Amino acid sequence: MRGEKEQQCLERIKDATFTKDGVLIKHPFTGKTYMEIRDDEFAKEQIWYINSNCHKNYFGLLEADRNEFEQILRKAEPNQKLSNFPDLVFTNGFIEHFQVTSSSETRKGSNHAKKESEFKHRVETETKQIEDEWNQMPSFNEVRSKLWVFKNPLHSHEFLIASFKNNWEHHMESYRKYNGAKEIGVFMIEYPEFALSMCENVYCDWINGMAQGDMREQEKFKEYRLSRDKKLLEYIYQFREQIKYVIFVNRVRYEVIRTENIPYLLKLIPWDFVIYPLTVTTVSTVKNISVSVNLGQGGEQDD
């Protein structure tokens, strides 16, 4: 259904912002949640409704930016014109959602998504056939099983950059044609694959044999982080006049980047990161054994 992916993505961010341990945060004195108060009340006592861990997801946001962004989350609503740019709107701006891939792409989309969809379809089809066969011929002596394996196709940082830029520029074309409120532009970019890892290259100028004690530990991430990707941060910075915030969402976390302050962030990244594909294998399995059940008349029943 159109609009479902972007709404799910936004709800994930809202849950992390306005809940704690899966429960909506309530004002300590009134017991109300962020959804039960007026805009002016929320602006006045915003801090009481926000998960304190949110700061870990903010990059380059000053206090005023953080307050503004959290108000955007509260106010953003789906565009009534589902087929038009943007996906979500609020009083003085918009949120546009799109997905990127680190696999190769064709006109029909991501190679990873295509192969993963084919894999899931095969598993569903064959599982149904196997279940029918096993129901017709029960086995009481051994556990029967069937296993399917899906290995990630080729992924690379270069593929991700190409996908990111192509999608960004495509949505910027729509932005330029958009006549609605543009004071605050937000791109919400989703990377649904678990396929890239990152490692800080602190040894690029290392003098062989020199000890550095515990002065600087190398940053390593099992997942891709836009906040550490110099190439794409520099690319995004070009659009600081049009896009105020970039939300980047992967399978593990989300990051909110204030585009205007990217130069400050780049100063905090003295070394480049080596970004490389992970070896990921997805396994799906189904098992079965039939159990005899005494129904009082010697009958048998399969489980």
Side-chain angles (χ1 to χ4, degrees):
M1 181 182 296
R2 187 172 178 82
E4 187 174 341
K5 286 184 178 180
E6 49 265 31
Q7 194 61 45
Q8 288 178 347
C9 194
L10 182 68
E11 288 302 320
R12 181 179 160 192
I13 299 166
K14 290 170 69 173
D15 285 346
T17 304
F18 301 115
T19 70
K20 186 174 183 180
D21 299 326
V23 179
L24 275 174
I25 297 171
K26 295 182 179 180
H27 193 286
F29 304 120
T30 66
K32 293 182 178 180
T33 69
Y34 80 100
M35 297 187 299
E36 300 173 310
I37 57 175
R38 301 189 308 270
D39 291 345
D40 60 333
E41 290 180 283
F42 181 76
K44 184 178 179 181
E45 298 192 305
Q46 193 163 328
I47 190 172
W48 294 112
Y49 303 98
I50 307 301
N51 189 316
S52 60
N53 287 323
C54 281
H55 70 279
K56 297 177 182 178
N57 304 310
Y58 297 153
F59 297 85
L61 277 70
L62 297 170
E63 183 178 1
D65 298 323
R66 297 193 293 270
N67 292 342
E68 180 177 73
F69 177 74
E70 289 155 7
Q71 290 169 1
I72 289 171
L73 292 181
R74 183 174 179 271
K75 295 179 180 180
E77 297 179 348
N79 189 346
Q80 296 301 309
K81 299 178 180 179
L82 293 178
S83 59
N84 291 0
F85 177 100
D87 295 308
L88 301 139
V89 294
F90 48 94
T91 306
N92 55 342
F94 67 87
I95 300 176
E96 176 68 357
H97 167 267
F98 58 89
Q99 291 187 335
V100 294
T101 179
S102 56
S103 73
S104 60
E105 288 187 286
T106 65
R107 291 182 179 179
K108 294 183 178 180
S110 159
N111 184 41
H112 179 105
K114 176 177 178 292
K115 290 184 177 297
E116 188 175 46
S117 177
E118 291 172 350
F119 171 74
K120 290 180 179 179
H121 177 72
R122 182 164 67 90
V123 170
E124 290 174 2
T125 302
E126 294 182 9
T127 297
K128 181 63 172 64
Q129 293 173 347
I130 290 170
E131 287 176 347
D132 290 342
E133 292 174 5
W134 287 350
N135 285 334
Q136 292 175 13
M137 295 183 294
S139 171
F140 301 100
N141 301 317
E142 61 180 354
V143 176
R144 296 177 293 192
S145 65
K146 171 69 176 178
L147 182 116
W148 297 265
V149 175
F150 171 75
K151 293 185 178 180
N152 273 4
L154 180 63
H155 285 260
S156 74
H157 185 218
E158 289 71 25
F159 285 151
L160 178 64
I161 289 175
S163 175
F164 193 102
K165 290 183 176 181
N166 287 339
N167 279 282
W168 183 288
E169 289 165 14
H170 171 74
H171 286 84
M172 283 305 300
E173 290 179 9
S174 299
Y175 166 90
R176 296 182 186 101
K177 299 174 184 177
Y178 179 56
N179 294 319
K182 294 182 179 181
E183 182 181 336
I184 302 175
V186 182
F187 273 176
M188 182 167 63
I189 304 167
E190 187 175 6
Y191 175 54
E193 302 154 357
F194 187 69
L196 293 181
S197 186
M198 304 181 74
C199 181
E200 193 177 20
N201 188 17
V202 300
Y203 302 111
C204 60
D205 298 318
W206 186 57
I207 299 174
N208 188 31
M210 179 179 287
Q212 61 189 37
D214 61 355
M215 290 184 65
R216 182 68 158 79
E217 290 188 7
Q218 184 183 42
E219 280 196 324
K220 298 179 181 179
F221 302 105
K222 291 182 179 179
E223 78 281 2
Y224 172 80
R225 303 280 301 274
L226 179 61
S227 63
R228 305 304 200 278
D229 190 335
K230 283 185 176 181
K231 289 183 180 179
L232 283 180
L233 288 175
E234 289 168 351
Y235 172 77
I236 291 168
Y237 182 64
Q238 302 174 67
F239 302 90
R240 60 193 179 278
E241 298 296 331
Q242 298 85 21
I243 305 302
K244 190 170 186 178
Y245 301 106
V246 171
I247 310 170
F248 186 79
V249 186
N250 63 29
R251 289 192 178 186
V252 179
R253 70 183 79 229
Y254 74 94
E255 302 175 323
V256 184
I257 299 169
R258 176 73 160 91
T259 56
E260 187 178 56
N261 294 330
I262 283 177
Y264 169 78
L265 299 177
L266 291 173
K267 291 179 182 179
L268 302 178
I269 313 174
W271 291 285
D272 291 330
F273 277 75
V274 178
I275 303 172
Y276 52 92
L278 289 167
T279 301
V280 180
T281 301
T282 302
V283 176
S284 181
T285 183
V286 59
K287 297 182 180 180
N288 165 275
I289 187 169
S290 298
V291 180
S292 299
V293 178
N294 188 348
L295 300 178
Q297 297 180 347
E300 294 181 343
Q301 180 174 309
D302 293 340
D303 279 352

